[in-house]
Amino acid sequence: MSRSLQILDDWFFAPKRDRRSWPDLLLLAGWIALAGFQISRHVMWRDEVRALTIALNGDDVIAMLRGLHGEGHPALWYLLLRGAHAVFNRVEVLPGVAFAVGLVTVALLIFRSPFPRPLVLLLITGHALLFEYVVMARNYGISALFLFAIAACYPAHRDRGVLLGMLLLLLANTNVVGAIMVGAFLLFWLLDMLASQRETQLDTPGWRWSPQLTNFAINAIIATIGVAICAVTMLPTYNDAAARDWSHASPLTAAILSLVNPGATSLGALFANLLPGIAGSVLLFAATLGLLPRRPAFLAAIAALLLTSLFFAVAANGAYRHAAVWLCFLITLYWIGWSKVATASDGLLPAIGRVSLLLVLAIQTAAGINDLRNAATGIVASRSADLGRLIASRADLANAVILSEPEYLVEALPYYVRNPVYLARDHRFGSVVIFSRKGRMDSDLGETLRLARELRDTRGAPVIILLAYRLDEITPDQIYDEGKDWRTFRASAAQIRDFREATTMIRRFGPARTDESFDVYLLN
């Protein structure tokens, strides 16, 4: 082994050198400061607030669950939000629950993992644990929490009790990628037990049924029930506009390509899509090689990588938050196998795996530093908070009806304003947009103005119109796609002229990190 590899191993792949508490407390305090700074600057955007809106719908939990059915996510996150809101009765439970989940997750890493502190520092300053799974209030952070809890409990509970099965049941109901990880972990658990059985029964050929396998079967049944609950909650989805369109492509071809080139799927988001797909694939596969000293963990990591890639290629597109669930699963396997990984001082492939893992984590930390830069420079995800401040500053807008184009701009508004919101395409009041190809697909600026006038006349209230399309920049009569090949919008020169004559622009907000920026008009 070269001197440089030896230094890397000494720093990042050695057993934890000591168990003093004060360095770990400093790590946690530093993480809290960095995460808290970002939370104080963070503006909620539509995917975050949409979950809170759905969680609070219905007179009771049963009614909420009925409304959730088909949304595309299992119920656990919504139950947490509804429970927290029942206690505190404030919308701030949304970032509060996300931070609490992130805090416990990071505390598990710092105080319970076998990783040396330099490696822990890389992990907790990565994009996932410094921003995406703690500042961004979504249901993916709870996947990391349950994965790390499983890692912490596995040695003591592998052969007894149902704690691991219950944790897997909960993991299956965090999100669909979490459910995929349940299957991969059960594969690891089974192979790990069989390997242990072979090691302890060298004189007995083959394998035999044992109490440990009975315990595993019971836990596997519990975990499978969790996956079934997830599927029943999610399917069939009513957001059919998000489904893959295979009219011009072959799902079989996409599936085969995803298995040999996972970096070209949404897993490439782990590298901010800066690496070519094949380079990302090489790094993803290589990062699993460090698990070769614990062969069942290596096989489970490969299985999880291929299953996740296949899901992204055939079923649904993903983003960083989805891909990072697989990364957390990989970290979980390294955690469980650390005693063998950290003492494997020879072998070229494990050494390549350790270096590759460090490269992946270094990219995550670079992205985490960029998150801090965005927070420091005031780059926000949405201009919804700015709109809330604008409405609060003007008494004449206190009861104004809000209309938007595209209509999904309004989903983040309930966190900041209490004004009634009208969904133009669905012709109803509400703030949860159904991403369906059913109903009205195409609209134009003339229809937006007509609806605004109708709302003013029927409600007797001012009407605020939010336009993501800058009227002085768009091309008249050009058709604009509103995402997912879903709905379209156009504006003729005459419609633009009529709209400007009938309204007054009261604010133009600057760009946002997402597409949630808009011009604000008031109907005259």
Side-chain angles (χ1 to χ4, degrees):
M1 181 182 294
S2 68
R3 177 62 179 166
S4 57
L5 286 178
Q6 184 63 55
I7 293 173
L8 286 178
D9 276 350
D10 289 343
W11 273 84
F12 295 101
F13 290 95
K16 197 167 187 177
R17 291 181 174 86
D18 63 74
R19 293 290 174 178
R20 292 176 297 172
S21 60
W22 68 265
D24 293 332
L25 290 173
L26 285 179
L27 275 178
L28 183 61
W31 178 87
I32 290 173
L34 294 177
F37 169 70
Q38 292 184 92
I39 291 172
S40 69
R41 300 293 188 91
H42 181 62
V43 175
M44 295 292 163
W45 72 296
R46 60 178 178 269
D47 282 5
E48 296 172 279
V49 183
R50 178 186 176 98
L52 180 63
T53 303
I54 293 173
L56 300 184
N57 279 343
D59 295 331
D60 52 35
V61 172
I62 301 300
M64 183 272 285
L65 292 174
R66 289 197 189 100
L68 173 64
H69 180 245
E71 165 65 5
H73 293 285
L76 185 56
W77 178 243
Y78 302 86
L79 292 171
L80 288 174
L81 293 179
R82 189 177 183 100
H85 191 272
V87 174
F88 298 102
N89 196 32
R90 296 183 63 89
V91 295
E92 288 82 4
V93 298
L94 180 57
V97 172
F99 175 75
V101 168
L103 178 63
V104 177
T105 304
V106 169
L108 276 174
L109 260 179
I110 293 174
F111 296 105
R112 292 294 306 275
S113 80
F115 304 139
R117 291 190 182 98
L119 184 58
V120 170
L121 182 62
L122 267 185
L123 289 168
I124 67 175
T125 55
H127 179 55
L129 295 183
L130 193 60
F131 179 79
E132 194 72 49
Y133 287 175
V134 57
V135 179
M136 189 70 70
R138 298 293 309 278
N139 55 313
Y140 300 93
I142 44 179
S143 296
L145 171 60
F146 288 124
L147 283 168
F148 295 163
I150 288 168
C153 296
Y154 182 77
H157 295 271
R158 188 192 73 171
D159 298 328
R160 62 182 179 86
V162 296
L163 176 61
L164 293 177
M166 294 304 300
L167 289 173
L168 288 169
L169 181 147
L170 293 172
L171 174 62
N173 286 279
T174 58
N175 53 77
V176 67
V177 184
I180 293 172
M181 296 306 105
V182 169
F185 190 84
L186 288 175
L187 173 65
F188 160 72
W189 190 351
L190 177 61
L191 294 177
D192 194 47
M193 283 201 310
L194 294 178
S196 296
Q197 189 177 92
R198 285 195 299 270
E199 291 174 0
T200 57
Q201 298 173 358
L202 295 177
D203 297 331
T204 304
W207 65 275
R208 61 180 178 83
W209 194 263
S210 64
Q212 291 79 14
L213 284 173
T214 299
N215 184 72
F216 167 78
I218 294 171
N219 281 275
I221 292 171
I222 295 172
T224 303
I225 291 172
V227 174
I229 293 172
C230 171
V232 168
T233 306
M234 292 174 52
L235 299 173
T237 178
Y238 52 70
N239 292 311
D240 54 54
R244 289 274 192 172
D245 180 6
W246 293 110
S247 58
H248 303 292
S250 166
L252 179 60
T253 301
I256 294 172
L257 290 175
S258 72
L259 296 179
V260 298
N261 191 14
T265 70
S266 299
L267 284 161
L270 290 172
F271 314 116
N273 297 309
L274 297 177
L275 292 180
I278 192 65
S281 296
V282 170
L283 198 53
L284 290 170
F285 281 116
T288 68
L289 294 175
L291 293 168
L292 279 171
R294 186 86 173 246
R295 194 62 57 88
F298 167 73
L299 294 174
I302 292 293
L305 177 61
L306 296 179
L307 287 172
T308 306
S309 179
L310 187 64
F311 171 76
F312 289 149
V314 176
N317 276 321
Y320 176 89
R321 55 186 173 270
H322 308 92
V325 175
W326 174 81
L327 181 59
C328 290
F329 179 75
L330 182 67
I331 298 304
T332 297
L333 295 177
Y334 268 96
W335 182 330
I336 293 173
W338 195 250
S339 60
K340 291 186 177 180
V341 170
T343 56
S345 57
D346 57 350
L348 177 61
L349 291 180
I352 291 174
R354 295 192 293 271
V355 172
S356 299
L357 178 66
L358 287 181
L359 287 175
V360 173
L361 297 182
I363 293 171
Q364 309 310 304
T365 295
I369 293 171
N370 188 59
D371 295 326
L372 292 171
R373 182 188 66 83
N374 288 339
T377 55
I379 299 176
V380 295
S382 172
R383 293 296 173 180
S384 298
D386 294 329
L387 178 66
R389 285 187 286 268
L390 172 64
I391 291 175
S393 69
R394 295 185 48 164
D396 60 318
L397 302 180
N399 66 334
V401 178
I402 300 175
L403 180 69
S404 76
E405 186 61 51
E407 62 184 356
Y408 53 67
L409 292 176
V410 304
E411 289 196 312
L413 298 186
Y415 190 85
Y416 297 103
V417 301
R418 296 187 176 182
N419 298 61
V421 173
Y422 192 77
L423 302 178
R425 307 296 181 88
D426 294 333
H427 296 286
R428 62 181 177 87
F429 285 93
S431 59
V432 175
V433 177
I434 305 300
F435 292 89
S436 173
R437 292 187 173 92
K438 300 173 184 177
R440 187 178 178 86
M441 295 292 101
D442 307 316
S443 189
D444 54 47
L445 190 60
E447 173 69 7
T448 302
L449 181 59
R450 186 193 67 77
L451 276 175
R453 286 169 168 160
E454 181 179 300
L455 288 168
R456 178 193 59 192
D457 296 341
T458 56
R459 301 276 297 192
V463 177
I464 296 172
I465 305 170
L466 311 180
L467 286 184
Y469 307 97
R470 315 294 192 185
L471 296 184
D472 53 352
E473 298 175 4
I474 67 173
T475 302
D477 293 314
Q478 179 174 326
I479 296 176
Y480 291 89
D481 178 24
E482 295 186 345
K484 297 186 174 73
D485 297 323
W486 179 44
R487 298 178 177 181
T488 63
F489 177 81
R490 62 182 290 274
S492 68
Q495 288 173 343
I496 293 173
R497 183 182 64 250
D498 292 344
F499 186 88
R500 283 175 165 161
E501 291 175 353
T503 62
T504 300
M505 182 194 289
I506 56 176
R507 190 66 56 87
R508 166 169 286 184
F509 294 119
R513 192 161 43 82
T514 68
D515 57 0
E516 286 187 29
S517 183
F518 35 79
D519 292 342
V520 185
Y521 293 86
L522 182 63
L523 184 65
N524 293 336

